[in-house]
Every structure is written in C-alpha cells, then in structure tokens.
C-alpha cells in the first residue's frame, strides 16, 4: 500500500521545523519551493531578461489587447517586487542553515 508523501506526518513535521527555523509559516516555505521550481523552469527555457527599452516596446505593443490600467500595472509590479524580495530572504536564510 503506497502512502502519499504529502500526507506523511514525518514530512509535515520536517516542513514545520524548517519553516520555524527560517522564520516563516509552513505554507510560505512550500510557496517558496513552488516559486523556486517555476523559476528553474523559466531559466531552462532560455528566456533572457528584457532591457528597459524592450519592456517599453512590449508594453506599447500590448495597448488595447489587455484590460489593465497603468495604475494596476504599477501596483502589480510592486507586489511582485515584494514577493521576490520575500523569496530571496527565505533563500538566504535556508542557505545560512545549509538547507539550500
């Protein structure tokens, strides 16, 4: 009989202990690893970073195609920036503990 790793009490305990050591909730720790996995997938695609000029050109090409105001875009930008800052801090703490 196979047991799901997700439902294992040992795994839950391990996640709780690591999260506590890092200073985040278990949910945030799991979200960090999901973010990390998605970031690795993006990096494998060979996607390069956009320059400021390329970003402006892309945004101008999207005018009228998407329903988002400039204010909403700015708000989204800062939300994402804060999320990335949070993930980088968790990553730093995990490295300090020798877990990353």
């Amino acid at each position: 009989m196979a047991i799901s790793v997700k439902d294992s009490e040992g795994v839950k305990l391990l996640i709780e202990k690591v999260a506590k050591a890092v200073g985040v909730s278990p949910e945030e720790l799991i979200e960090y690893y999901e973010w990390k996995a998605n970031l690795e997938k993006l990096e494998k695609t060979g996607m390069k970073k956009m320059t400021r000029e390329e970003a402006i050109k892309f945004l101008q090409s999207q005018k009228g195609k998407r329903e988002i105001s400039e204010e909403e875009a700015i708000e989204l930008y800062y939300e994402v920036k804060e999320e990335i800052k949070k993930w980088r801090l968790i990553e730093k703490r995990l490295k300090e503990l020798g877990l990353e």
Side-chain angles (χ1 to χ4, degrees):
M1 176 161 109
I3 297 174
S4 172
V5 173
K6 281 182 170 179
D7 297 329
S8 168
E9 286 301 315
V11 172
K12 287 179 183 179
L13 184 59
L14 179 62
I15 290 170
E16 288 172 5
K17 294 287 185 185
V18 172
K20 186 176 181 180
V22 174
V24 297
S25 72
E27 292 80 15
E28 286 174 312
L29 185 64
I30 291 168
E31 287 174 3
Y32 162 77
Y33 281 111
E34 289 171 348
W35 170 78
K36 184 93 171 175
N38 288 330
L39 185 61
E40 288 172 3
K41 284 180 191 175
L42 279 175
E43 289 171 352
K44 285 181 183 177
T45 65
M47 191 171 83
K48 65 178 185 115
K49 291 183 180 180
M50 274 189 189
T51 64
R52 181 178 172 84
E53 293 76 26
E54 290 172 328
I56 290 170
K57 186 177 178 180
F58 172 76
L59 290 172
Q60 288 171 342
S61 75
Q62 297 301 303
K63 279 194 176 185
K65 294 181 183 177
R66 298 176 187 251
E67 295 294 323
I68 186 169
S69 69
E70 186 174 340
E71 293 81 21
E72 290 171 319
I74 291 169
E75 184 179 321
L76 183 60
Y77 168 79
Y78 285 110
E79 284 178 23
V80 169
K81 191 173 180 177
E82 286 301 311
E83 284 287 313
I84 292 172
K85 193 180 195 181
K86 179 173 89 173
W87 301 140
R88 293 293 182 204
L89 180 60
I90 292 172
E91 181 177 52
K92 179 183 173 196
R93 290 178 180 163
L94 286 167
K95 283 181 180 178
E96 289 170 354
L97 293 169
L99 299 172
E100 184 64 34

